[in-house]
Amino acid sequence: MFFLSLLATFAFAQPLPSATPDDPTVLIGPALLEGRIEWSEEIQSALAERRYSDAIKALQTIDATTIAGPDTGDFAFVMAWALIRANQRKEAIPLLAKIELSRTAPADYRWLTIGELLLADDRPNEAAEVFDKIEPNSRVATRAQLQLARSFSNMGATKKAVEIYETIAARPDPEEGNEIALWALAQKRGLSNPTVEPLLRRIWMHYP
């Protein structure tokens, strides 16, 4: 019941100097980690408490030769999930092919992870296609949209990126991800531009 034990809601980080959220709302699904892998209490608690560096160290103690079939994909997904949130995305890129084998990780979480690794691997076109697969009602939809906007920016499709940020920022405050979209819009307009004052005021008032 590993997924069930990790049901948790994480808030987005405070306003960031980039348009990439590092702490999304997270729902670890009930099927993940219910396979044949023996997930230690140390791994479970580290993930639940967002101690991702500790989780990575604990995951590295598992003998990979004992993992086969779909469990390979589940293990790769959990490892990549922790690596991404420990700001070690590059180290997770080699796990891409294995993550696609996972059968118990929730589809939207799997797509989010694959998309973020494609983006980290400088493949924004492919990443954009993956992020677009995530349904608007998903718990990770806002993070996926922010990452989609980043993909468009990396592709040079600034107009599409701005449209996404504007859609997110149009929601009433406070709302997860709004501060990231507001900051991205302010940066794109230029911080010396008088029109960014309302954007910065919203960040200051609602996202201290």
Side-chain angles (χ1 to χ4, degrees), residues 19 149 153 158 161-162 165 182-191 193 196:
S153 291
T158 304
V162 169
Y165 290 136
L182 290 166
W183 181 245
L185 289 171
Q187 286 184 310
K188 288 186 179 299
R189 294 183 189 179
L191 298 182
N193 188 325
V196 306

Side-chain angles (χ1 to χ4, degrees), residues 59-136:
L59 286 165
Q60 289 172 336
T61 65
I62 295 179
D63 184 358
T65 63
T66 65
I67 304 172
D71 286 345
T72 302
D74 293 341
F75 180 82
F77 170 81
V78 175
M79 178 63 85
W81 186 270
L83 285 168
I84 289 170
R85 282 148 190 79
N87 292 319
Q88 300 179 46
R89 292 171 177 81
K90 294 293 185 181
E91 289 85 342
I93 291 173
L95 299 173
L96 261 169
K98 291 182 179 179
I99 293 171
E100 294 175 354
L101 299 175
S102 176
R103 295 294 178 269
T104 51
D108 48 353
Y109 288 79
R110 189 170 65 252
W111 287 127
L112 176 67
T113 302
I114 290 172
E116 291 185 339
L117 294 184
L118 288 170
L119 195 53
D121 197 29
D122 298 321
R123 296 153 68 182
N125 295 65
E126 295 173 67
E129 292 180 6
V130 171
F131 292 132
D132 209 33
K133 295 176 183 288
I134 298 174
E135 296 293 334

Side-chain angles (χ1 to χ4, degrees), residues 2-203:
F2 186 68
F3 263 159
L4 287 176
S5 70
L6 292 182
L7 289 175
T9 299
F10 298 161
F12 272 87
Q14 62 271 24
L16 301 173
S18 70
T20 304
D22 286 327
D23 296 304
T25 295
V26 173
L27 176 66
I28 302 298
L32 186 67
L33 311 178
E34 291 183 356
R36 292 177 292 276
I37 303 174
E38 294 186 9
W39 307 94
S40 68
E41 179 64 31
E42 183 180 5
I43 293 172
Q44 296 184 46
S45 62
L47 289 172
E49 296 168 10
R50 293 184 289 174
R51 293 183 288 106
Y52 296 115
S53 294
D54 292 338
I56 292 166
K57 291 177 182 178
L59 286 165
Q60 289 172 336
T61 65
I62 295 179
D63 184 358
T65 63
T66 65
I67 304 172
D71 286 345
T72 302
D74 293 341
F75 180 82
F77 170 81
V78 175
M79 178 63 85
W81 186 270
L83 285 168
I84 289 170
R85 282 148 190 79
N87 292 319
Q88 300 179 46
R89 292 171 177 81
K90 294 293 185 181
E91 289 85 342
I93 291 173
L95 299 173
L96 261 169
K98 291 182 179 179
I99 293 171
E100 294 175 354
L101 299 175
S102 176
R103 295 294 178 269
T104 51
D108 48 353
Y109 288 79
R110 189 170 65 252
W111 287 127
L112 176 67
T113 302
I114 290 172
E116 291 185 339
L117 294 184
L118 288 170
L119 195 53
D121 197 29
D122 298 321
R123 296 153 68 182
N125 295 65
E126 295 173 67
E129 292 180 6
V130 171
F131 292 132
D132 209 33
K133 295 176 183 288
I134 298 174
E135 296 293 334
N137 61 350
S138 168
R139 293 290 296 274
V140 295
T142 300
R143 179 176 179 123
Q145 284 296 298
L146 289 166
Q147 296 288 46
L148 178 59
R150 184 183 176 196
S151 299
F152 284 139
S153 291
N154 290 3
M155 292 159 55
T158 304
K159 183 178 179 180
K160 289 185 177 180
V162 169
E163 287 175 352
I164 292 174
Y165 290 136
E166 288 178 341
T167 298
I168 294 173
R171 303 175 303 172
D173 296 308
E175 188 68 57
E176 62 180 16
N178 273 16
E179 75 278 27
I180 297 168
L182 290 166
W183 181 245
L185 289 171
Q187 286 184 310
K188 288 186 179 299
R189 294 183 189 179
L191 298 182
S192 61
N193 188 325
T195 65
V196 306
E197 183 180 349
L199 306 179
L200 298 177
R201 186 184 303 115
R202 285 175 61 188
I203 294 174

